[in-house]
Amino acid sequence: MIDVATFGETMAALRAIDPIRLGGALRLSAAGAESTVAIGLARLGHTVRWTGLVGDDETGALVVRTLRAEGVDVSHVRADDRGPTGLMLRERRVGDVARVIYHRSGSAASFLTPADVLPALAPAPRILHVTGITPALGPGPAAAVSAAVEAAASTPGVRVCLDVNHRSRLWDRERAAGALRPLARLLDVVVASDDELDLVAPAAATTERDRVEALLDAGVAEVVVKRGADGADAHTRAGSAHAPARRVGVRDVVGAGDAFVAGYLSGLLDSLDLAGRLDRAVTTGAFAVASEGDWEGLPTRAELALLDSPPGSTLR
């Protein structure tokens, strides 16, 4: 059985240390919210399947090769010649502030449909993970998210997780809310930053507390609120928990939210209690913040305790 199935767009990622307009060296890798979650879970020992369309090009081959090398099942990934593999450019603009530039309009992933993702849900996974990024890519991807969530929610034993993950460069808040709010009744886990809850909770709920209560009333089992440097909270009908952020040197904040989700879902799969799930989530998020790249520094299960070592330690 697959522990987690997920799908979306994974792009070729070019990272620059200096402003891109000045030229210089770029480091090539692969990046995507859902694939970062997949890699994070695979490193923690879970079985994960990522599905998507890549271009019939060398950067598409890079995406598939990277995920396969990380132990992610890519058996349902397909190269599509209607568009190229998406491209993300990232520059460190000042201090630890990064700027991201997308070239993903008309990419292969924008042609994703339910027919591409539904076969990847058989046999049924324990968890289906989706994000609010995929429906922003176009009508086909939006239909794929809706169909997959409907199918998973109607399958006994499958839990559905949504990470709101709003990308303002892809769509505005009104369109995002219009696509995500109808999914709430089918979700088991909602993950959102504190400024994203309104995109999935009913419009009538105007405070964070009201939004959490409304989602729980709609049938969501767990509402997880990410607060960056202030940690995270999780709410269920049985109670709530808070976890402070792990204090680490910041090297790269991009991908930290996806690393957080990987840790949370790992704790859910391992049947940890609410506090334990949050602790693992803030730990994996801290690994991402303290490392260069979206997923490159994510821990294996044996490495989860590394952040408990005294600063400057050398493990021999």
Side-chain angles (χ1 to χ4, degrees):
M1 176 181 288
I2 294 290
D3 288 327
V4 179
T6 188
F7 62 92
E9 179 170 36
T10 299
M11 300 163 285
L14 289 169
R15 298 179 175 90
I17 296 176
D18 298 313
I20 289 172
R21 69 179 64 184
L22 300 181
L26 294 166
R27 177 174 171 267
L28 176 62
S29 184
E34 300 85 2
S35 54
T36 295
V37 172
I39 290 172
L41 285 162
R43 287 194 179 179
L44 292 171
H46 303 286
T47 54
V48 194
R49 173 176 293 148
W50 178 84
T51 300
L53 300 181
V54 297
D56 188 12
D57 47 36
E58 290 303 301
T59 46
L62 168 69
V63 167
V64 176
R65 183 177 184 272
T66 299
L67 289 166
R68 183 182 292 119
E70 288 293 330
V72 176
D73 181 340
V74 291
S75 58
H76 290 267
V77 178
R78 182 168 60 83
D80 193 304
D81 62 7
R82 287 176 292 178
T85 301
L87 176 65
M88 180 182 80
L89 301 171
R90 191 170 79 200
E91 61 183 359
R92 184 177 296 166
R93 190 61 192 89
V94 59
D96 59 5
V97 176
R99 183 159 58 188
V100 174
I101 302 163
Y102 292 123
H103 294 279
R104 57 202 307 180
S105 178
S107 68
S110 68
F111 294 97
L112 192 75
T113 70
D116 297 304
V117 301
L118 292 179
L121 300 183
R126 295 171 64 187
I127 296 174
L128 169 68
H129 173 64
V130 297
T131 77
I133 299 173
T134 304
L137 301 179
V145 171
S146 295
V149 169
E150 289 272 5
S154 65
T155 303
V158 179
R159 287 180 280 197
V160 182
C161 173
L162 167 71
D163 182 3
V164 174
N165 225 336
H166 181 245
R167 294 290 187 267
S168 60
R169 294 194 176 191
L170 296 180
W171 58 356
D172 60 32
R173 299 181 70 84
E174 183 177 359
R175 290 175 56 217
L180 300 181
R181 284 176 183 160
L183 300 179
R185 64 183 179 82
L186 302 169
L187 304 174
D188 297 284
V189 180
V190 168
V191 182
S193 297
D194 50 9
D195 62 347
E196 294 175 333
L197 274 176
D198 63 308
L199 300 181
V200 65
T206 57
T207 68
E208 180 176 311
R209 180 175 179 178
D210 290 343
R211 289 162 183 156
V212 170
E213 285 295 322
L215 289 169
L216 294 175
D217 288 344
V220 177
E222 305 178 30
V223 180
V224 185
V225 184
K226 300 179 291 184
R227 303 188 188 280
D230 294 323
D233 296 289
H235 307 276
T236 69
R237 278 294 175 212
S240 300
H242 172 77
R246 302 291 297 258
R247 298 303 172 188
V248 295
V250 176
R251 296 183 64 184
D252 189 347
V253 298
V254 178
D258 304 315
F260 175 97
V261 173
Y264 193 86
L265 294 182
S266 173
L268 191 61
L269 290 164
D270 286 349
S271 300
L272 301 184
D273 63 14
L274 196 61
R277 298 198 286 275
L278 274 182
D279 180 70
R280 184 169 293 180
V282 297
T283 298
T284 50
F287 270 90
V289 166
S291 308
E292 294 285 350
D294 290 33
W295 53 267
E296 286 86 343
L298 298 185
T300 64
R301 187 172 291 260
E303 293 173 329
L304 282 171
L306 281 179
L307 295 182
D308 297 325
S309 304
S313 296
T314 299
L315 304 180
R316 302 183 186 276

